[in-house]
Structure formats: structure tokens, C-alpha cells
Amino acid sequence: MTNEVGAVIEETEPAVLTAATVTLVEGPTFCVSGTSGDMEAEVPQGLFFRDMRVISDWQIRGDGHRPHHLTVLSQDAYSTTFVSRVPPHGAQSELLSKRWRYVGEGMREDRRLGNLSTRQMRPDSA
């Protein structure tokens, strides 16, 4: 990362790396993702229907950054809530992300991004 003068600066937040996964199941449909809710094509994650992967890459970004996982709130076998934050610019988190995911005959995800700062941010989805 560089600052406005072009000098290289270190990020103050530690990298959040985990091999943990979250699996949701309903009938012949199941979804495997990381604890952030993101699914990556390079690993065995995604949305599967009858053992065929139909979605392999599902990610959200906030202000150009990958959110840091905070918690996963599992309601039952086919739905969960992912809570994350975007790495802060300074000491406090500025952007919180909640993702409610449901699987059944497909997948539905509802998202809510909360901007806790006074500066404008732009969420990016991929």
C-alpha cells in the first residue's frame, strides 16, 4: 500500500487467514464458504446442487478491501449470518458488513453495509 506521496506504508491490521469453512445444507443443495462468507474458485468452495458446483466465486469488497471476518451466527442447517468489517483507516472500523445467506432450491443472500464514518465509501461486489 502507498500513501499520497508514493511512499510504501505497512498495514497496521494483521492478515486474517483461516482454513475454517461454513457449510449450509438443504436437500440436494449445499454451500461451502469461508467464515467471511466469500467463496473462492481456487478451493473447494461454492454453491452445489446435486454435487455439481453452480457458483464457484462469490465475493464482496468494501472500499476496495476484503472484509475481516468477525463472527458467523448460524440459525439452522440452511441459513447463517456473516458479520465482517473492512480494515480501518486508523484506529476504528468504518464499514460493517452483514450477509444473511439461505440455501434451498438455489441460494439467496441479503446484504447490509453500514458506514460508521463521515467519509464516503463505495462497496464493490464481485
Side-chain angles (χ1 to χ4, degrees):
M1 174 185 272
T2 61
N3 64 11
E4 54 274 351
V5 194
V8 175
I9 57 174
E10 297 292 323
E11 293 208 27
T12 58
E13 288 293 310
V16 178
L17 300 174
T18 179
T21 59
V22 175
T23 303
L24 302 176
V25 180
E26 176 64 22
T29 305
F30 65 98
C31 177
V32 181
S33 69
T35 54
S36 69
D38 285 354
M39 297 177 230
E40 299 184 29
E42 298 81 27
V43 293
Q45 296 179 350
L47 178 67
F48 298 81
F49 180 72
R50 297 186 185 198
D51 293 331
M52 182 172 70
R53 184 159 68 170
V54 293
I55 295 177
S56 59
D57 199 37
W58 188 267
Q59 301 177 8
I60 189 171
R61 300 289 177 265
D63 201 25
H65 299 282
R66 174 180 284 209
H68 289 174
H69 155 77
L70 293 176
T71 191
V72 177
L73 306 169
S74 294
Q75 289 85 30
D76 41 52
Y78 59 87
S79 68
T80 197
T81 301
F82 301 95
V83 181
S84 304
R85 69 180 181 128
V86 170
H89 295 276
Q92 295 183 341
S93 294
E94 297 176 329
L95 186 63
L96 292 180
S97 167
K98 279 191 178 180
R99 302 162 80 169
W100 293 272
R101 182 172 298 156
Y102 312 89
V103 296
E105 301 230 354
M107 181 181 84
R108 181 178 121 197
E109 183 171 282
D110 299 327
R111 300 175 183 176
R112 175 168 290 170
L113 298 174
N115 186 354
L116 306 176
S117 76
T118 56
R119 71 183 189 92
Q120 183 176 0
M121 294 191 197
R122 182 178 58 98
D124 300 318
S125 294

